Amino acid sequence: MSTKDFLEKDYYKALGVSKTAKPAEIKAAYRKLARKYHPDANKGDASAEERFKEISEAYSVLSDEKRRKEYDEARSLFGGGFRVPTGQRPGQGGGFGGFDLGDIFSGAGDAGGRLGDLFGGVFGGGGRTTAQNRPRRGADVETEATLSFGDAFDGTTVALRLTGEGPCPTCHGTGAKAGTVPRMCPSCQGSGQSSRNLGSFGISEPCKECRGRGLVVDDPCPECSGSGRAMSSRTIQARIPAGVADGQRIRIPGKGAPGERGGPAGDLYVRVHVKPHPVFGRSGANLTVTVPVTFAELTLGAEVKVPSHRGAPVTVRIPPGTPNGRTFLVRGKGVRRKDGTAGNLLVTVEVMVPQNLNSKARSAIEELREATAGQDPREELLERAKEA
Ligand SMILES: [Zn+2]
Ligand SMILES: [Zn+2]
């Protein structure tokens, strides 16, 4: 517990007792509240655990005559409602009011030394109490899913097995063996933070004793060895929309890691891998397909049947004199988009050179060669190559 806590926290209020309460009264109030907010009675309830720590911390100070006196002195000196500024500018603005802390700490003599020590925790790490108790959003989680080409095209629901850390199911997150309870960490007095003084600056770091939890366990839960945390896995059904592409990341809100202290859950991101199709490719919302054609079909023109994905073959009209490698567009036969429209099917024609010719075909091609002997297809190329 840093001395900053002395200034920020109202231990009397935490226990619901007056500043003049007798020790017996404090003890009775503590017992009543500790029973009510005990982690065993509030399994998995993070706010109850926080409250429990708060009560325990208050009691540890107020039940100790010497520390209660220190606490009372600190509070009266700075007027109770003192707040440590949460920014990085100690001594400026905020609850420091008209005080110049520099003066106080540099003050010579006993009082100065004692105060310097007492208030060391004020500097640095300002606001950590606030940040620590604030509800925290769960982390985003990323996972992967591999889909067939067709499932990516149509959209699908996939079962995703997610493994993550959560409260141990055996001890419900308390870390204590059944029938026992955790107690407040004596090293940090339940704050989860320890402070080191470096001259007039204090450094706050997670308490080594309890690893920042504020509670220690004497009889650890055999399942989680006292950490209160356990790896668990859950399976969720994730809807993958139609038309996802390989490498795309799908965001599924609220399916990430659970939040802490009532904070919202994080998001789940699913990175999608799409297996290649033997025939079709993808280019954004378009599907692509390469269709073999003959030299005659390109030269003379033809109507050719080409495959479409999830549908009957479609007919593409090739006009006479079509160059090899030209791409034709078949509207609406691509991937469905979010807005309900669909991409296109891009059909690229590729001349297939026959490997085996019967004698009739061979003589026809030889005739073609003779008939076109006067046309050198490389004439223009050779001419243009001479240009500077
Ligand atoms: Zn456990
Ligand atoms: Zn501790």
Side-chain angles (χ1 to χ4, degrees):
M1 182 174 347
S2 74
T3 41
K4 181 156 71 68
D5 292 332
F6 275 14
L7 303 175
E8 287 189 336
K9 296 180 180 174
D10 190 336
Y11 293 142
Y12 292 104
K13 204 173 145 202
L15 293 180
V17 295
S18 75
K19 289 186 173 54
T20 55
K22 298 266 181 302
E25 203 180 324
I26 288 168
K27 192 170 180 179
Y30 165 70
R31 281 195 164 165
K32 191 167 152 249
L33 291 168
R35 259 201 302 276
K36 185 172 171 196
Y37 292 103
H38 199 282
D40 254 12
N42 299 275
K43 292 183 177 180
D45 182 347
S47 65
E49 183 173 314
E50 282 306 311
R51 185 81 176 93
F52 180 71
K53 284 200 276 189
E54 191 183 78
I55 297 158
S56 307
E57 180 180 335
Y59 182 65
S60 77
V61 173
L62 299 186
S63 62
D64 180 321
E65 200 187 327
K66 185 169 153 272
R67 298 185 63 205
R68 182 178 176 184
K69 198 160 163 268
E70 275 175 7
Y71 175 70
D72 288 343
E73 274 176 13
R75 302 273 297 184
S76 66
L77 187 60
F78 289 100
F82 185 97
R83 296 273 323 161
V84 172
T86 52
Q88 272 74 52
R89 298 165 303 153
Q92 266 189 34
F96 282 91
F99 281 111
D100 182 346
L101 286 167
D103 282 354
I104 295 173
F105 296 123
S106 61
D110 279 5
R114 193 173 63 86
L115 280 171
D117 181 50
L118 187 63
F119 289 99
V122 167
F123 295 101
R128 67 116 185 111
T129 304
T130 325
Q132 215 186 23
N133 297 338
R134 202 177 290 151
R136 214 170 65 188
R137 183 179 174 277
D140 290 339
V141 172
E142 182 158 330
T143 188
E144 300 186 44
T146 300
L147 307 180
S148 72
F149 191 89
D151 281 346
F153 185 87
D154 298 328
T156 185
T157 300
V158 291
L160 297 170
R161 198 174 155 79
L162 303 173
T163 306
E165 212 190 38
C168 165
T170 304
C171 61
H172 304 277
T174 67
K177 197 171 154 185
T180 72
V181 293
R183 64 188 163 86
M184 197 181 66
C185 172
S187 176
C188 63
Q189 307 291 338
S191 73
Q193 299 278 318
S194 63
S195 303
R196 266 192 304 143
N197 289 337
L198 296 176
S200 53
F201 288 89
I203 289 181
S204 247
E205 55 193 8
C207 169
K208 287 188 180 68
E209 205 70 33
C210 61
R211 281 181 289 174
R213 196 171 165 226
L215 295 172
V216 289
V217 167
D218 296 317
D219 294 306
C221 162
E223 217 54 50
C224 63
S225 311
S227 70
R229 312 285 291 170
M231 292 304 278
S232 62
S233 62
R234 61 197 161 110
T235 302
I236 69 149
Q237 302 293 323
R239 179 75 202 150
I240 307 291
V244 291
D246 186 48
Q248 199 175 324
R249 236 164 52 126
I250 314 282
R251 178 172 162 264
I252 300 171
K255 295 288 185 188
E260 285 176 40
R261 289 178 288 278
D267 297 334
L268 172 66
Y269 287 90
V270 183
R271 190 170 291 281
V272 170
H273 301 287
V274 180
K275 287 186 206 154
H277 190 277
V279 166
F280 297 101
R282 279 280 296 271
S283 171
N286 296 327
L287 286 185
T288 60
V289 63
T290 298
V291 173
V293 290
T294 65
F295 175 70
E297 283 171 332
L298 290 191
T299 310
L300 303 175
E303 287 191 346
V304 299
K305 236 185 215 182
V306 304
S308 76
H309 192 251
R310 293 275 189 268
V314 290
T315 300
V316 172
R317 180 188 295 275
I318 296 171
T322 294
N324 184 42
R326 172 159 290 183
T327 297
F328 295 88
L329 185 149
V330 183
R331 278 193 198 287
K333 294 288 180 188
V335 177
R336 259 176 292 156
R337 296 193 188 90
K338 260 191 212 151
D339 62 5
T341 63
N344 306 312
L345 175 63
L346 305 180
V347 179
T348 302
V349 292
E350 188 177 77
V351 167
M352 184 203 64
V353 176
Q355 302 300 302
N356 294 297
L357 290 174
N358 59 31
S359 60
K360 195 179 168 197
R362 169 171 286 277
S363 53
I365 294 206
E366 281 168 354
E367 259 179 64
L368 174 68
R369 181 173 58 188
E370 278 159 37
T372 57
Q375 302 168 11
D376 181 355
R378 289 164 295 277
E379 193 176 1
E380 195 192 337
L381 178 80
L382 292 166
E383 276 309 309
R384 282 174 60 189
K386 290 176 193 160
E387 286 173 19

